[in-house]
Amino acid sequence: MTTPQRHSWKDIRDRIHARILDRTYRPGDKLPHDEDMAQTLGCSRSTVQRAMQDLSESGLVERRRKGGTHVRPEPVARVTIEIPIIRKEVEDLGQRHGYQLLSRAALPPPAEIATRMELSAHVPCLHVRALHLAQDRPYLYEDRWINLQTAAEIDSVDLCTISANEWLVLNMPYTRCELRFFALAADADLAKALHTSPNTALFAIERTTWIDTQPITTVRTIGAPGYQLSAST
Amino acid sequence: MTTPQRHSWKDIRDRIHARILDRTYRPGDKLPHDEDMAQTLGCSRSTVQRAMQDLSESGLVERRRKGGTHVRPEPVARVTIEIPIIRKEVEDLGQRHGYQLLSRAALPPPAEIATRMELSAHVPCLHVRALHLAQDRPYLYEDRWINLQTAAEIDSVDLCTISANEWLVLNMPYTRCELRFFALAADADLAKALHTSPNTALFAIERTTWIDTQPITTVRTIGAPGYQLSAST
DNA sequence: CAGTGGTCTAGACCACTCA
DNA sequence: GAGTGGTCTAGACCACTGC
């Protein structure tokens, strides 16, 4: 069996965490500074620092130079969501991934898209619509705009063979990413593509990526009925 | 102006990141081990370690003892979502928060809820429905079950004065949290509460929390039309 | 079993920010 | 200005895990 290290930073973190849980340190309270904490707990300051770093990242405490460390008065729930390549997402469910290119056209972006990408409306873009399948059933609809100035190479990629999602993830690393989650009602086209009826409530994710300040792509993915995203701490 | 520290761990991280972006290190490639990296970059091993920790957390590289550090072949998008207290969420939008308790009843949990909480169906629970308002308009509907064995004290709290959301966040710290995001169609009750029409597509979040292995609460929050969740890296 | 990342220590100095 | 967290270093040892 695994013996928990008595003075590992995880152990130190858990001991501090426990003090917060049992109200030794209450919301808003100031914690002893690292040096004292280290002496009390019998470890070096760096170990306390590492523990505090973790507690701070998870939103449990707040640290400020000179201000000290405080238990957050209004804790926030912080969850990390992982969004993999769609093919991998399907395969991880143990299902067979399929893919259909629905349309592909070089077009100037409509105003809404240009705004979303923080891009001038005169830049040439590629508009791609596609459908991802799981076990031959509709899984996710993808409506994507790609900036041809940034990702010029995709113009010569056969998007029937590889999805834009996969090509971009593998070939266009980004430095900034924005996400929005919301619900929308299926219109006629969407309903047809996803084999459902118009007006069905569907889950949508909008993702826009940039490399430095140059927009790469913005995509709206819409899940088939029942699609959901989960996360846990 | 701020001079970027030439050998800070962030600087080291960015220099390694740049090498990944410019394809010096390609997806799947093995990176030099920390010691070499440190020597090459002119810093100590701990600094490389700190940089790598960050790159690893953000999903860009994968590290394994003896295996070494590799650029992830199929990068995942990792985003951290913060979910604050609802009152604070509204106030941060610069709006006035309001709150109405719709119902409150001690009941045994239905099977679906018991399953969600990993709880026996015989444990006494409190069922609470409430509506959060922003500028006196419906903002978020909350349908919550609370385990009265874990959070017994809430039985004597006046939930007209403080929302269950707020009381729980302030008084019941948790050690585990699971989240699901999805879309649903408004039924008659929901439509009425949120001042919308039946069948409207709405965005829902389900959250369940435990302390150690004991379930605390499970809640489904449903946003008024237009509600959305956003995140960025 | 040996290579690699993970952690701990002690000490020094830096950077921010509150009073 | 002084207190507190943030970072860097050098060195040691530990803990996984691939070969």
Side-chain angles (χ1 to χ4, degrees):
Chain A
M1 57 172 265
T2 318
T3 312
Q5 294 286 320
R6 287 260 301 83
H7 294 283
S8 71
W9 68 265
K10 286 183 182 174
D11 177 60
I12 299 297
R13 175 199 62 191
D14 291 344
R15 281 157 73 185
I16 299 171
H17 189 176
R19 297 293 175 83
I20 294 173
L21 293 186
D22 74 13
R23 303 302 181 114
T24 304
Y25 305 124
R26 293 158 182 276
D29 278 5
K30 181 174 183 173
L31 270 58
H33 65 244
D34 296 8
E35 199 103 36
D36 282 359
M37 204 63 127
Q39 199 145 20
T40 306
L41 298 176
C43 65
S44 79
R45 203 195 120 196
S46 344
T47 305
V48 172
Q49 163 80 22
R50 184 67 186 81
M52 287 298 194
Q53 179 193 325
D54 200 66
L55 291 170
S56 171
E57 272 171 9
S58 66
L60 221 63
V61 305
E62 235 174 358
R63 281 158 78 76
R64 267 196 319 277
R65 283 159 152 141
K66 168 80 180 180
T69 305
H70 292 257
V71 180
R72 274 185 95 110
E74 295 183 335
V76 288
R78 271 200 196 146
V79 209
T80 302
I81 295 190
E82 287 209 356
I83 303 181
I85 299 176
I86 299 166
R87 176 179 57 72
K88 199 163 189 311
E89 184 179 329
V90 172
E91 288 172 356
D92 285 351
L93 292 170
Q95 309 199 321
R96 189 175 55 256
H97 175 254
Y99 163 78
Q100 290 170 1
L101 182 64
L102 300 179
S103 75
R104 177 192 183 287
L107 287 175
E112 186 203 336
I113 300 298
T115 306
R116 213 195 284 165
M117 296 174 87
E118 302 171 0
L119 182 70
S120 144
H122 305 296
V123 170
C125 283
L126 192 64
H127 181 215
V128 173
R129 297 183 312 125
L131 187 66
H132 294 263
L133 310 168
Q135 308 287 60
D136 300 322
R137 305 187 53 155
Y139 178 76
L140 197 77
Y141 175 92
E142 178 183 346
D143 184 318
R144 180 185 296 272
W145 290 82
I146 304 158
N147 179 354
L148 284 175
Q149 289 196 327
T150 316
E153 301 166 3
I154 203 171
D155 207 16
S156 54
V157 170
D158 176 11
L159 293 180
C160 294
T161 313
I162 184 172
S163 74
N165 170 254
E166 187 146 359
W167 189 88
L168 286 163
V169 167
L170 289 176
N171 294 281
M172 292 300 300
Y174 56 87
T175 51
R176 175 179 158 218
C177 172
E178 293 205 346
L179 282 168
R180 291 168 53 209
F181 307 95
F182 53 97
L184 53 74
D187 61 19
D189 278 355
L190 200 49
K192 196 175 165 200
L194 291 175
H195 292 189
T196 184
S197 44
N199 228 31
T200 305
L202 299 172
F203 181 63
I205 305 178
E206 254 176 35
R207 174 160 43 153
T208 309
T209 55
W210 291 262
I211 183 148
D212 301 320
T213 59
Q214 294 188 298
I216 302 172
T217 185
T218 186
V219 61
R220 178 185 281 191
T221 60
I222 299 159
Y227 184 92
Q228 57 182 47
L229 197 64
S230 39
S232 60
T233 49
Chain B
M1 62 170 262
T2 318
T3 312
Q5 294 287 319
R6 285 262 302 86
H7 294 284
S8 71
W9 68 264
K10 286 183 182 174
D11 176 60
I12 299 298
R13 175 199 61 189
D14 292 344
R15 281 158 73 186
I16 299 172
H17 189 176
R19 299 292 175 82
I20 294 174
L21 294 186
D22 74 12
R23 304 300 181 114
T24 305
Y25 305 124
R26 292 159 182 276
D29 278 6
K30 181 173 183 175
L31 269 58
H33 65 243
D34 296 7
E35 200 102 38
D36 283 359
M37 204 63 126
Q39 200 145 18
T40 306
L41 299 176
C43 65
S44 78
R45 203 195 121 197
S46 343
T47 304
V48 172
Q49 163 80 24
R50 183 67 185 80
M52 288 297 195
Q53 179 193 325
D54 199 66
L55 290 169
S56 170
E57 271 170 10
S58 67
L60 221 64
V61 305
E62 237 174 357
R63 280 159 77 77
R64 267 194 320 275
R65 282 159 151 139
K66 169 78 181 181
T69 304
H70 291 257
V71 181
R72 276 185 95 109
E74 296 183 335
V76 288
R78 271 198 197 148
V79 211
T80 302
I81 294 189
E82 286 209 357
I83 303 181
I85 299 176
I86 298 165
R87 177 180 57 73
K88 200 163 187 312
E89 184 179 329
V90 172
E91 288 172 355
D92 285 352
L93 291 170
Q95 310 199 320
R96 191 175 53 256
H97 175 254
Y99 164 77
Q100 289 170 1
L101 182 64
L102 301 178
S103 75
R104 178 195 182 285
L107 286 175
E112 185 202 336
I113 301 297
T115 306
R116 214 194 283 164
M117 296 175 86
E118 302 171 0
L119 181 70
S120 143
H122 305 297
V123 171
C125 283
L126 193 64
H127 181 214
V128 173
R129 297 183 313 124
L131 187 65
H132 294 262
L133 310 168
Q135 307 287 62
D136 300 322
R137 304 185 56 155
Y139 179 75
L140 198 78
Y141 175 92
E142 177 183 346
D143 185 317
R144 181 185 296 271
W145 291 82
I146 304 159
N147 179 354
L148 283 175
Q149 288 195 326
T150 315
E153 300 164 6
I154 203 172
D155 208 17
S156 54
V157 171
D158 176 12
L159 294 179
C160 296
T161 313
I162 183 171
S163 75
N165 170 255
E166 187 147 359
W167 190 88
L168 285 163
V169 167
L170 289 176
N171 294 281
M172 291 299 301
Y174 56 87
T175 51
R176 177 178 156 219
C177 172
E178 293 205 344
L179 282 168
R180 291 168 52 210
F181 307 94
F182 54 98
L184 53 74
D187 60 19
D189 277 355
L190 200 49
K192 198 177 162 199
L194 292 175
H195 292 189
T196 184
S197 44
N199 227 32
T200 305
L202 299 171
F203 180 63
I205 305 177
E206 255 175 33
R207 174 160 44 154
T208 309
T209 55
W210 291 261
I211 183 148
D212 301 321
T213 59
Q214 294 186 299
I216 301 172
T217 185
T218 186
V219 61
R220 177 184 282 190
T221 59
I222 300 159
Y227 185 93
Q228 57 182 48
L229 197 64
S230 38
S232 60
T233 47

